DNA sequence: CTGGCTTCTGGAAGCGCTCCCACACTTCCA
DNA sequence: TGGAAGTGTGGGAGCGCTTCCAGAAGCCAG
């Protein structure tokens, strides 16, 4: 036997207690004009006394906004979210949303079911907006996302086309700065471990790599795909060493692959950085603790999340925020001094 | 000028098209009895033709369930969610929820505002249930969570008290198995790098450490807190070496600290495992790639998420699922063969 | 054929809120 | 001094769904 369930007070109860109409009470709650100071005060007191909290469900049904935004990863790799990159982005988004009343819904669409859910979501007003990340190659969701009236902000560009709203790290510039650093350090035989070719970030990093080499009058010593994983990077490095035993530097499209490369180099008896310099991309904490500590292109991951949320909010509010390219910056450590 | 917004069809429209009452249509949608086969078929066809999708907001308002569960981290460390542990748990939860219609709301309550939001959430029916993780020492939310009628499942036990529903890895047993392994390997002077004393997991791991030593007729060589961070682990290891230069093994309460310990040991010229064996806890991927690869207590993190979701669902459905202790298992690698 | 089941059926009352609108009362300026 | 414009005020119609309830229809034992 319980005491009667302490039902949440409703707006009607607040209004009754304050001696005003529900409409007036609603205006006070939402901080709208056309309420006298006296009534405003009365309502505010009633709210305090009753511990009133607006019911977001009712609000969503009656009004336009739903009160939540979705962070969706549309990937083909189950568990991709476990990548620390996304966790950091999520923290950034969440910390921005904390200043608002919006809730963050996580939609990890890495299965057919998940994708179906995301598709349905885009076609209906069940959230106020969507941050869409990790879209691969020809993901049909990209087109869907562009057609829906729901504001969709892309975290990272899709492989083709340019969405209306996006926030993207400067992948090309970052890759370029890495290569420039290697060239400045006297390296001439520079290879690259590339990421997945159906990810725009991987393509852009490879582009930057090639550009910088061309500008320096060099050409790539070799390239090998590493699939953005540590194991893949290790294998790729081994292949590169076979192909170009004379290479004196390698640029990996992310830190995980760079760490794998370090392992492979060690196993093959190459000293880092004396024989081979290594540069990664991301700077996600693990880089600092690598052995040797990894020189890497830092990207402001948490800021990325922050900006994604900011842009999405602006879009929801009917503004037309401009897309954003976030600067990246080379962090020099021992692996490529 | 836009074409008319392609509003989502409503249940009324489905009912009209199928030539039945809204009530009947609702019954079909919810798979309830008392609808003739003929009407059922008609409604199903109308649903297909119209592409009808129930509006969860309206559903939530009218019915009892809200259609979402909350994953809340009540911590004092902003950005704690960036810890790969939580990302993995989240993946586990999400993959379980994918089989249901429930959405996952993320509430990172690491600020006063966030905690206030969590408090309000617990006091209102704005979600169907809550998974609460990372509660520290005397977090007042624990009491609140126990009082609310909202089902709350704890991921990891709070420091004091035993909640009605929880899923917890076998921290004590895992720590014990680590120490037993060290003792079996001939180590006698065993130190520990402990976690934060206001986390039950840290306390339990220290307990297991002490128990196993006692059982082996030994006593702790030394203990030093490492705050669960890599940098903290590194500093702690340095202190341990000063205090007990003769130690031949160290158990760290998580992998991050163990990695820090590896660095410190290397810097101090100790060989791992020849001079000092190192064991960590968690086995989160980074352990495999450490140098040397880290022996560590594996805990089934994704399964933890999975079970949390399962238990929560059962609780929501009015059952009284039993709490769960998930087994941990020592993974032997080179740092403590 | 009657009464008592069980199975259908749909009207109507909400869930708690927002917002349109009609109306009242002030200003303020031509 | 009339009325346009600005400020308060609350009634009421929804938002799209679930669910209660009253009643119709079908079925079988007595």
């Amino acid at each position: 036997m319980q005491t009667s369930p302490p039902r949440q007070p409703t707006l009607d109860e607040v209004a009754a207690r304050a001696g005003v109409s529900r409409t007036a009470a609603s205006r006070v709650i939402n901080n709208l004009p056309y309420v006298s100071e006296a009534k405003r005060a009365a309502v505010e007191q009633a709210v305090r006394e009753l511990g009133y909290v607006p019911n977001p469900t009712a609000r969503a049904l009656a009004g336009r906004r739903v009160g939540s935004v979705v962070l969706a990863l549309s990937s083909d790799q189950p568990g991709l979210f476990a990548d620390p990159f996304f966790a950091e982005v999520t923290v950034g988004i969440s910390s921005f949303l904390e200043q608002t009343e919006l809730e963050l819904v996580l939609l990890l669409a890495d299965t057919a079911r998940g994708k179906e859910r995301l598709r349905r979501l885009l076609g209906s007003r069940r959230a106020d907006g969507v941050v869409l990340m990790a879209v691969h190659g020809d993901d049909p969701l990209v087109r869907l996302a562009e057609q829906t009236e729901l504001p969709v902000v892309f975290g990272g560009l899709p492989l083709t086309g340019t969405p209306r709203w996006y926030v993207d790290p400067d992948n090309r510039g970052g890759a370029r700065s890495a290569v420039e650093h290697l060239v400045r350090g006297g390296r001439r035989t520079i290879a690259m471990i590339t990421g997945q070719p159906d990810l725009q970030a991987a393509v852009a990093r490879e582009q930057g790599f090639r550009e910088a080499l061309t500008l320096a009058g060099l050409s790539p010593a070799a390239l090998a795909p590493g699939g953005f994983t540590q194991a893949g990077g290790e294998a790729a490095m081994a292949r590169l060493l076979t192909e170009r035993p004379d290479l004196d530097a390698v640029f990996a499209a992310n830190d995980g692959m760079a760490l794998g490369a370090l392992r492979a180099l060690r196993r093959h008896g190459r000293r880092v950085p004396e024989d081979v310099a290594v540069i990664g991309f991301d700077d996600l904490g693990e880089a600092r603790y690598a052995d040797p500590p990894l020189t890497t292109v830092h990207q402001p991951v948490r800021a990325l999340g922050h900006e994604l949320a900011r842009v999405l909010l602006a879009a929801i509010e009917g503004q037309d925020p401009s897309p954003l390219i976030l600067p990246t910056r080379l962090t020099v450590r021992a692996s490529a001094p």
Side-chain angles (χ1 to χ4, degrees), chain A:
Chain A
M1 296 302 114
Q2 287 229 330
T3 55
S4 74
R7 245 190 356 85
Q8 295 263 115
T10 72
L11 188 56
D12 277 304
E13 285 161 348
V14 170
R17 182 173 192 115
V20 304
S21 70
R22 177 169 15 121
T23 309
S26 172
R27 289 205 184 95
V28 174
I29 302 296
N30 294 292
N31 206 25
L32 295 173
Y34 304 128
V35 190
S36 64
E37 261 322 305
K39 300 212 165 185
R40 192 174 292 273
V43 171
E44 275 162 358
Q45 185 180 344
V47 165
R48 238 172 291 121
E49 290 170 358
L50 261 41
Y52 170 75
V53 177
N55 177 324
T57 304
R59 227 174 189 164
L61 186 57
R64 30 207 21 96
R65 59 211 144 303
V66 179
S68 67
V69 299
V70 173
L71 170 59
L73 300 207
S74 173
S75 85
D76 300 312
Q77 304 159 260
L80 176 65
F81 184 74
D83 187 317
F85 175 81
F86 293 107
E88 279 286 349
V89 172
T90 306
V91 169
I93 294 179
S94 165
S95 78
F96 186 93
L97 290 182
E98 197 157 75
Q99 308 163 27
T100 73
E101 285 297 300
L102 290 167
E103 288 190 324
L104 178 59
V105 174
L106 207 56
L107 186 42
L108 270 33
D110 50 21
T111 65
R113 255 192 96 102
K115 298 218 174 212
E116 176 53 30
R117 259 170 106 149
L118 179 50
R119 192 169 301 122
R120 290 217 310 235
L121 177 88
L122 287 173
S124 64
R125 292 212 58 91
R126 297 160 62 187
D128 295 312
V130 178
V131 170
L132 186 54
M133 299 197 73
V135 289
H136 280 236
D138 53 348
D139 196 324
L141 282 166
V142 173
R143 189 160 307 114
L144 251 170
E146 280 165 355
Q147 285 170 355
T148 179
E149 7 131 45
L150 207 61
V152 177
V153 178
F154 282 73
L157 287 165
L159 199 54
T160 56
T162 304
R164 181 163 174 196
W165 295 301
Y166 64 88
V167 180
D168 199 38
D170 183 9
N171 288 307
R172 240 169 71 183
R176 239 157 42 180
S177 70
V179 175
E180 284 160 8
H181 178 75
L182 290 171
V183 171
R184 243 188 336 266
R187 314 285 172 164
R188 288 296 175 270
T189 314
I190 307 176
M192 175 169 180
I193 303 176
T194 58
Q196 282 143 299
D198 61 342
L199 280 179
Q200 199 274 342
V203 172
R205 289 173 196 177
E206 184 177 333
Q207 240 169 33
F209 171 76
R210 292 180 183 277
E211 281 172 13
L213 281 181
T214 304
L215 252 54
L218 299 171
S219 55
L223 288 95
F228 271 148
T229 69
Q230 192 152 341
E234 193 171 343
M237 188 71 240
R239 270 175 280 136
L240 289 176
L241 283 174
T242 308
E243 192 178 336
R244 291 297 300 258
D246 59 323
L247 60 80
D248 58 10
V250 63
F251 169 56
N254 78 349
D255 283 351
M257 297 193 297
L259 295 186
L262 288 181
R263 277 172 68 85
L265 287 166
R266 191 180 311 131
R267 248 192 339 179
H268 285 77
R270 310 293 173 109
R271 292 166 305 159
V272 176
E274 293 83 353
D275 303 330
V276 180
V278 176
I279 298 189
F281 205 116
D282 280 352
D283 196 16
L284 279 172
E286 41 181 17
R288 167 179 288 121
Y289 289 101
D291 177 35
L294 191 64
T295 293
T296 185
V297 180
H298 177 88
Q299 58 170 325
V301 185
R302 206 167 289 190
L304 176 63
H306 211 263
E307 293 304 312
L308 280 168
R310 195 184 54 71
V311 169
L312 180 57
L313 223 70
I316 288 173
E317 282 166 3
Q319 309 164 26
D320 190 2
S322 28
L324 220 58
I325 304 280
L326 294 182
T328 50
R329 170 178 57 69
L330 189 72
T331 300
V332 178
R333 298 202 184 89
S335 75

